[in-house]
Amino acid sequence: MNDMIVGVDLAKSVFQLHGATADGRPAFRKKVPRQQFLRFLAAYPGAIIAMEACGSAHFWARELISRNHQVLMVPPQYVRPFVKRQKNDATDAEAIVTAARQPGMRFVPPKTDQQQARAVLFRARERLVHQRTELVNALRAVLYEFGYVLPAGLRQIGRVQAILDSDEGAIPRLVREECRDLLEQIAEQTARIDERTRKAHQLADGAETARRLQTLPGVGPITALAFDAFAPDMKTFRRGRDFAAWLGLVPRQHSSGGKERLGRITKAGQADIRRLLIIGAMSRLNWLGRSRIPEGSWLERMLARKPRMLVAIALANKMARAIWAMMTKQQDYRIPVPAAATV
Protein backbone atom coordinates (compact mmCIF):
# COMPACT_ATOMS: atom_id res chain seq x y z
CA MET A 1 0.00 0.00 0.00
CA ASN A 2 2.99 2.33 0.21
CA ASP A 3 2.69 2.88 -3.56
CA MET A 4 -0.96 3.97 -3.26
CA ILE A 5 -1.81 7.68 -3.48
CA VAL A 6 -5.29 8.83 -2.53
CA GLY A 7 -6.60 12.23 -3.57
CA VAL A 8 -9.22 13.68 -1.22
CA ASP A 9 -11.62 16.47 -2.16
CA LEU A 10 -12.64 17.77 1.28
CA ALA A 11 -16.15 18.98 2.02
CA LYS A 12 -18.46 19.46 4.99
CA SER A 13 -20.35 16.16 4.83
CA VAL A 14 -19.16 13.92 1.98
CA PHE A 15 -15.56 13.46 0.81
CA GLN A 16 -14.70 12.41 -2.72
CA LEU A 17 -11.74 10.01 -2.92
CA HIS A 18 -9.64 9.04 -5.93
CA GLY A 19 -7.11 6.24 -5.47
CA ALA A 20 -4.26 5.67 -7.90
CA THR A 21 -1.14 3.54 -8.10
CA ALA A 22 2.35 4.98 -8.24
CA ASP A 23 2.28 5.08 -12.06
CA GLY A 24 -1.04 6.97 -12.08
CA ARG A 25 -3.45 4.16 -12.93
CA PRO A 26 -6.85 4.63 -11.22
CA ALA A 27 -7.54 2.15 -8.42
CA PHE A 28 -10.90 3.39 -7.10
CA ARG A 29 -13.28 6.35 -7.05
CA LYS A 30 -15.53 6.60 -4.04
CA LYS A 31 -17.67 9.00 -2.03
CA VAL A 32 -17.24 8.60 1.70
CA PRO A 33 -19.28 10.25 4.48
CA ARG A 34 -17.30 12.34 6.91
CA GLN A 35 -17.89 9.88 9.76
CA GLN A 36 -16.41 6.98 7.75
CA PHE A 37 -13.45 8.80 6.23
CA LEU A 38 -10.74 7.65 8.66
CA ARG A 39 -12.23 4.16 8.88
CA PHE A 40 -12.10 3.79 5.09
CA LEU A 41 -8.47 4.92 4.86
CA ALA A 42 -7.50 2.44 7.59
CA ALA A 43 -7.75 -0.23 4.86
CA TYR A 44 -4.82 1.49 3.07
CA PRO A 45 -2.05 1.69 5.71
CA GLY A 46 0.94 3.79 4.75
CA ALA A 47 -0.79 5.30 1.72
CA ILE A 48 0.04 8.82 0.56
CA ILE A 49 -2.95 11.10 1.14
CA ALA A 50 -3.08 14.21 -1.05
CA MET A 51 -5.52 17.07 -0.48
CA GLU A 52 -5.90 20.75 -1.19
CA ALA A 53 -4.67 23.20 1.46
CA CYS A 54 -8.17 24.50 2.21
CA GLY A 55 -10.56 24.69 5.14
CA SER A 56 -10.11 21.87 7.72
CA ALA A 57 -7.14 20.48 5.73
CA HIS A 58 -4.67 21.03 8.57
CA PHE A 59 -6.97 19.23 11.03
CA TRP A 60 -7.31 16.20 8.76
CA ALA A 61 -3.58 16.26 8.05
CA ARG A 62 -2.84 15.94 11.78
CA GLU A 63 -5.37 13.12 12.13
CA LEU A 64 -3.93 11.21 9.17
CA ILE A 65 -0.32 11.70 10.24
CA SER A 66 -1.17 10.31 13.68
CA ARG A 67 -2.41 7.17 11.84
CA ASN A 68 0.91 6.73 10.01
CA HIS A 69 -0.20 8.17 6.67
CA GLN A 70 1.96 10.49 4.62
CA VAL A 71 0.06 13.69 3.86
CA LEU A 72 0.71 16.05 0.93
CA MET A 73 -1.21 19.34 0.92
CA VAL A 74 -1.23 21.03 -2.49
CA PRO A 75 -2.03 24.75 -2.89
CA PRO A 76 -5.39 25.09 -4.69
CA GLN A 77 -3.93 27.28 -7.44
CA TYR A 78 -1.56 24.45 -8.37
CA VAL A 79 -4.40 21.93 -8.64
CA ARG A 80 -6.60 23.99 -10.96
CA PRO A 81 -4.55 23.42 -14.17
CA PHE A 82 -5.01 19.65 -13.83
CA VAL A 83 -8.82 19.68 -13.71
CA LYS A 84 -10.20 18.00 -16.84
CA ARG A 85 -13.03 19.84 -18.57
CA GLN A 86 -16.11 19.67 -16.33
CA LYS A 87 -15.46 20.58 -12.71
CA ASN A 88 -16.98 18.31 -10.09
CA ASP A 89 -15.83 16.51 -6.94
CA ALA A 90 -14.58 13.44 -8.83
CA THR A 91 -12.46 15.41 -11.30
CA ASP A 92 -11.17 17.59 -8.46
CA ALA A 93 -9.99 14.53 -6.52
CA GLU A 94 -8.31 13.13 -9.64
CA ALA A 95 -6.65 16.50 -10.31
CA ILE A 96 -5.27 16.54 -6.75
CA VAL A 97 -3.62 13.16 -7.37
CA THR A 98 -2.18 14.34 -10.69
CA ALA A 99 -0.82 17.54 -9.14
CA ALA A 100 0.68 15.72 -6.15
CA ARG A 101 2.57 13.35 -8.48
CA GLN A 102 4.39 16.18 -10.28
CA PRO A 103 8.14 16.09 -9.55
CA GLY A 104 8.52 19.83 -8.93
CA MET A 105 5.30 20.34 -6.97
CA ARG A 106 5.37 22.55 -3.88
CA PHE A 107 3.44 21.44 -0.82
CA VAL A 108 2.05 23.22 2.24
CA PRO A 109 3.43 21.90 5.55
CA PRO A 110 0.68 20.97 8.05
CA LYS A 111 0.19 23.38 10.93
CA THR A 112 0.06 22.34 14.57
CA ASP A 113 -3.00 23.04 16.68
CA GLN A 114 -1.03 25.73 18.55
CA GLN A 115 -0.18 27.50 15.30
CA GLN A 116 -3.84 27.49 14.31
CA ALA A 117 -4.78 28.79 17.77
CA ARG A 118 -2.43 31.75 17.33
CA ALA A 119 -3.89 32.32 13.87
CA VAL A 120 -7.40 32.43 15.37
CA LEU A 121 -6.27 35.04 17.91
CA PHE A 122 -4.60 37.11 15.19
CA ARG A 123 -7.67 36.94 12.92
CA ALA A 124 -9.98 37.85 15.81
CA ARG A 125 -7.98 40.99 16.54
CA GLU A 126 -7.88 41.94 12.86
CA ARG A 127 -11.64 41.47 12.56
CA LEU A 128 -12.30 43.69 15.58
CA VAL A 129 -10.01 46.40 14.20
CA HIS A 130 -11.93 46.38 10.90
CA GLN A 131 -15.25 46.57 12.75
CA ARG A 132 -14.05 49.49 14.86
CA THR A 133 -12.83 51.31 11.74
CA GLU A 134 -16.25 50.81 10.19
CA LEU A 135 -17.92 52.32 13.26
CA VAL A 136 -15.57 55.30 13.30
CA ASN A 137 -16.22 55.98 9.62
CA ALA A 138 -19.99 55.72 10.19
CA LEU A 139 -19.72 58.26 13.01
CA ARG A 140 -17.70 60.66 10.85
CA ALA A 141 -20.23 60.27 8.01
CA VAL A 142 -23.15 61.17 10.31
CA LEU A 143 -21.43 64.29 11.60
CA TYR A 144 -20.41 65.26 8.08
CA GLU A 145 -24.10 65.47 7.15
CA PHE A 146 -24.46 68.19 9.82
CA GLY A 147 -21.48 70.27 8.82
CA TYR A 148 -18.66 68.74 10.88
CA VAL A 149 -15.66 67.61 8.84
CA LEU A 150 -13.37 65.35 10.88
CA PRO A 151 -10.08 63.78 9.80
CA ALA A 152 -9.79 60.01 9.70
CA GLY A 153 -8.37 58.21 12.69
CA LEU A 154 -9.27 57.04 16.16
CA ARG A 155 -7.65 60.10 17.72
CA GLN A 156 -10.66 62.19 16.70
CA ILE A 157 -12.97 60.41 19.17
CA GLY A 158 -12.27 62.98 21.89
CA ARG A 159 -13.16 65.77 19.48
CA VAL A 160 -16.40 64.00 18.56
CA GLN A 161 -17.30 63.68 22.24
CA ALA A 162 -16.72 67.42 22.72
CA ILE A 163 -18.97 68.21 19.74
CA LEU A 164 -21.79 66.06 21.11
CA ASP A 165 -21.48 67.55 24.61
CA SER A 166 -21.54 71.09 23.23
CA ASP A 167 -24.82 72.91 22.77
CA GLU A 168 -23.48 74.65 19.68
CA GLY A 169 -24.47 73.50 16.21
CA ALA A 170 -27.72 72.22 14.75
CA ILE A 171 -27.44 68.53 15.64
CA PRO A 172 -30.86 67.09 16.48
CA ARG A 173 -31.28 65.21 19.75
CA LEU A 174 -31.99 61.92 17.91
CA VAL A 175 -28.71 62.22 16.00
CA ARG A 176 -26.80 62.95 19.21
CA GLU A 177 -28.23 59.79 20.78
CA GLU A 178 -27.20 57.68 17.78
CA CYS A 179 -23.70 59.17 17.80
CA ARG A 180 -23.30 58.43 21.50
CA ASP A 181 -24.43 54.86 20.85
CA LEU A 182 -21.72 54.59 18.17
CA LEU A 183 -19.18 55.94 20.66
CA GLU A 184 -20.18 53.23 23.14
CA GLN A 185 -19.76 50.53 20.48
CA ILE A 186 -16.33 51.94 19.57
CA ALA A 187 -15.30 51.85 23.24
CA GLU A 188 -16.47 48.23 23.52
CA GLN A 189 -14.52 47.22 20.42
CA THR A 190 -11.44 49.04 21.70
CA ALA A 191 -11.63 47.10 24.98
CA ARG A 192 -11.84 43.80 23.05
CA ILE A 193 -8.91 44.81 20.83
CA ASP A 194 -6.81 45.74 23.87
CA GLU A 195 -7.55 42.35 25.46
CA ARG A 196 -6.40 40.45 22.37
CA THR A 197 -3.37 42.71 22.06
CA ARG A 198 -2.45 41.85 25.64
CA LYS A 199 -2.74 38.13 24.86
CA ALA A 200 -0.58 38.60 21.75
CA HIS A 201 2.09 40.33 23.84
CA GLN A 202 2.03 37.49 26.36
CA LEU A 203 2.45 34.89 23.62
CA ALA A 204 5.25 36.90 22.05
CA ASP A 205 7.06 37.24 25.38
CA GLY A 206 6.76 33.52 26.13
CA ALA A 207 8.00 32.16 22.78
CA GLU A 208 11.69 32.09 21.89
CA THR A 209 10.98 32.57 18.18
CA ALA A 210 8.82 35.64 18.76
CA ARG A 211 11.36 37.12 21.18
CA ARG A 212 14.15 36.68 18.62
CA LEU A 213 12.08 38.26 15.85
CA GLN A 214 11.47 41.38 17.94
CA THR A 215 15.20 42.11 18.04
CA LEU A 216 14.84 43.15 14.37
CA PRO A 217 13.92 46.87 14.05
CA GLY A 218 10.38 47.25 12.70
CA VAL A 219 9.09 43.94 14.11
CA GLY A 220 6.76 44.05 17.13
CA PRO A 221 4.66 41.51 19.05
CA ILE A 222 1.81 41.46 16.50
CA THR A 223 4.18 40.83 13.59
CA ALA A 224 5.96 38.15 15.61
CA LEU A 225 2.61 36.50 16.38
CA ALA A 226 1.63 36.53 12.69
CA PHE A 227 4.99 35.05 11.74
CA ASP A 228 4.62 32.29 14.35
CA ALA A 229 1.08 31.51 13.15
CA PHE A 230 1.41 31.67 9.36
CA ALA A 231 5.04 31.26 8.31
CA PRO A 232 6.33 27.78 7.41
CA ASP A 233 9.60 26.33 8.65
CA MET A 234 12.44 28.48 7.34
CA LYS A 235 14.37 25.34 6.41
CA THR A 236 11.97 24.84 3.51
CA PHE A 237 13.59 27.85 1.80
CA ARG A 238 17.09 27.57 0.37
CA ARG A 239 17.90 31.21 0.99
CA GLY A 240 16.43 34.48 2.20
CA ARG A 241 15.50 35.57 -1.32
CA ASP A 242 13.21 32.55 -1.63
CA PHE A 243 11.40 33.53 1.57
CA ALA A 244 10.99 37.12 0.35
CA ALA A 245 9.62 35.77 -2.94
CA TRP A 246 7.18 33.52 -1.01
CA LEU A 247 5.91 36.62 0.80
CA GLY A 248 5.31 38.37 -2.54
CA LEU A 249 7.92 41.10 -1.95
CA VAL A 250 9.62 40.70 -5.33
CA PRO A 251 8.72 42.18 -8.74
CA ARG A 252 6.45 40.22 -11.05
CA GLN A 253 8.31 38.99 -14.12
CA HIS A 254 7.11 39.28 -17.72
CA SER A 255 10.39 38.15 -19.23
CA SER A 256 10.73 36.44 -22.59
CA GLY A 257 13.37 35.94 -25.29
CA GLY A 258 16.18 36.83 -22.92
CA LYS A 259 14.71 40.27 -22.24
CA GLU A 260 13.93 40.92 -18.59
CA ARG A 261 10.73 42.80 -17.78
CA LEU A 262 9.88 43.47 -14.13
CA GLY A 263 6.58 44.87 -12.87
CA ARG A 264 4.98 45.52 -9.50
CA ILE A 265 5.44 43.25 -6.50
CA THR A 266 3.63 39.95 -6.91
CA LYS A 267 1.65 39.96 -3.62
CA ALA A 268 1.53 36.20 -4.14
CA GLY A 269 2.42 35.02 -0.63
CA GLN A 270 1.15 35.38 2.92
CA ALA A 271 -0.68 38.69 2.96
CA ASP A 272 -0.66 39.33 6.72
CA ILE A 273 3.10 38.95 7.21
CA ARG A 274 3.79 40.97 4.05
CA ARG A 275 1.51 43.81 5.16
CA LEU A 276 2.98 43.93 8.67
CA LEU A 277 6.56 43.93 7.37
CA ILE A 278 5.72 46.87 5.08
CA ILE A 279 4.08 48.72 8.00
CA GLY A 280 7.16 48.04 10.11
CA ALA A 281 9.36 49.30 7.30
CA MET A 282 7.27 52.48 6.98
CA SER A 283 7.68 53.09 10.73
CA ARG A 284 11.43 53.20 10.17
CA LEU A 285 10.99 55.79 7.41
CA ASN A 286 8.77 58.31 9.21
CA TRP A 287 10.08 61.53 10.73
CA LEU A 288 11.16 59.81 13.96
CA GLY A 289 12.69 56.74 12.35
CA ARG A 290 14.68 58.76 9.81
CA SER A 291 16.76 60.28 12.58
CA ARG A 292 18.12 56.81 13.36
CA ILE A 293 19.13 55.93 9.80
CA PRO A 294 22.95 55.79 9.60
CA GLU A 295 24.51 58.46 7.43
CA GLY A 296 25.74 57.10 4.11
CA SER A 297 23.81 53.82 4.42
CA TRP A 298 21.99 52.26 1.47
CA LEU A 299 18.70 53.26 3.10
CA GLU A 300 19.65 56.92 3.20
CA ARG A 301 20.81 56.78 -0.42
CA MET A 302 17.55 55.11 -1.48
CA LEU A 303 15.44 57.73 0.32
CA ALA A 304 17.33 60.50 -1.48
CA ARG A 305 16.33 59.27 -4.94
CA LYS A 306 13.27 56.99 -4.61
CA PRO A 307 9.66 57.41 -3.36
CA ARG A 308 9.15 56.47 0.28
CA MET A 309 6.72 53.63 -0.47
CA LEU A 310 9.14 52.02 -2.90
CA VAL A 311 11.90 52.26 -0.30
CA ALA A 312 9.56 50.66 2.26
CA ILE A 313 8.99 47.69 -0.04
CA ALA A 314 12.74 47.29 -0.53
CA LEU A 315 13.30 47.53 3.22
CA ALA A 316 10.55 44.97 3.90
CA ASN A 317 12.27 42.64 1.43
CA LYS A 318 15.54 43.09 3.30
CA MET A 319 13.76 42.48 6.63
CA ALA A 320 12.33 39.21 5.28
CA ARG A 321 15.80 38.04 4.27
CA ALA A 322 17.15 39.02 7.69
CA ILE A 323 14.36 37.02 9.37
CA TRP A 324 15.30 33.97 7.31
CA ALA A 325 18.94 34.30 8.40
CA MET A 326 17.96 34.80 12.06
CA MET A 327 15.71 31.75 12.10
CA THR A 328 18.03 29.40 10.23
CA LYS A 329 21.10 30.41 12.27
CA GLN A 330 19.14 30.73 15.55
CA GLN A 331 20.66 34.14 16.23
CA ASP A 332 19.30 37.51 17.30
CA TYR A 333 19.51 40.46 14.96
CA ARG A 334 22.86 42.19 14.92
CA ILE A 335 23.17 45.78 13.70
CA PRO A 336 25.48 45.70 10.65
CA VAL A 337 28.80 47.43 11.15
CA PRO A 338 29.59 49.88 8.32
CA ALA A 339 32.65 48.93 6.33
CA ALA A 340 35.70 51.11 6.84
CA ALA A 341 36.50 53.42 3.95
CA THR A 342 39.56 52.43 2.00
CA VAL A 343 42.29 54.99 1.50
Side-chain angles (χ1 to χ4, degrees), residues 43-166:
Y44 301 92
I48 300 174
I49 312 300
M51 61 183 71
E52 285 185 329
C54 58
S56 77
H58 293 281
F59 165 77
W60 288 115
R62 293 193 297 269
E63 292 291 320
L64 293 168
I65 291 173
S66 67
R67 289 164 172 78
N68 298 320
H69 290 289
Q70 181 183 351
V71 177
L72 302 177
M73 291 199 299
V74 187
Q77 63 268 29
Y78 294 162
V79 175
R80 193 174 302 115
F82 297 99
V83 176
K84 296 178 181 177
R85 289 184 177 269
Q86 304 299 327
K87 183 187 181 304
N88 52 55
D89 293 345
T91 55
D92 284 348
E94 183 180 0
I96 292 171
V97 172
T98 306
R101 291 179 59 248
Q102 302 306 305
M105 182 54 61
R106 298 174 181 176
F107 301 103
V108 177
K111 294 184 183 297
T112 64
D113 54 352
Q114 291 302 315
Q115 280 182 299
Q116 286 194 286
R118 295 185 184 97
V120 169
L121 175 62
F122 180 86
R123 296 283 189 226
R125 185 183 178 279
E126 290 291 298
R127 182 177 64 253
L128 291 171
V129 170
H130 285 300
Q131 292 174 356
R132 183 178 66 180
T133 302
E134 180 183 356
L135 292 170
V136 172
N137 289 338
L139 182 61
R140 292 175 55 240
V142 170
L143 293 176
Y144 180 68
E145 293 295 330
F146 291 89
Y148 293 94
V149 180
L150 299 174
L154 196 64
R155 291 178 295 180
Q156 305 300 322
I157 294 300
R159 184 177 171 185
V160 171
Q161 187 67 59
I163 292 173
L164 296 177
D165 293 339
S166 174

Side-chain angles (χ1 to χ4, degrees), residues 247-252 263-268 274 278 309 313-314 317:
L247 285 176
L249 288 170
V250 297
R252 185 181 299 276
R264 299 181 178 181
I265 62 172
T266 63
K267 298 184 180 180
R274 181 180 63 248
I278 293 174
M309 191 62 195
I313 301 294
N317 183 296

Side-chain angles (χ1 to χ4, degrees), residues 240-253:
R241 286 184 176 183
D242 294 342
F243 177 54
W246 179 80
L247 285 176
L249 288 170
V250 297
R252 185 181 299 276
Q253 290 198 31

Side-chain angles (χ1 to χ4, degrees), residues 266-286:
T266 63
K267 298 184 180 180
Q270 218 292 324
D272 299 290
I273 300 178
R274 181 180 63 248
R275 174 175 57 84
L276 290 171
L277 284 180
I278 293 174
I279 292 174
M282 288 292 288
S283 70
R284 296 177 61 184
L285 302 179
N286 59 18

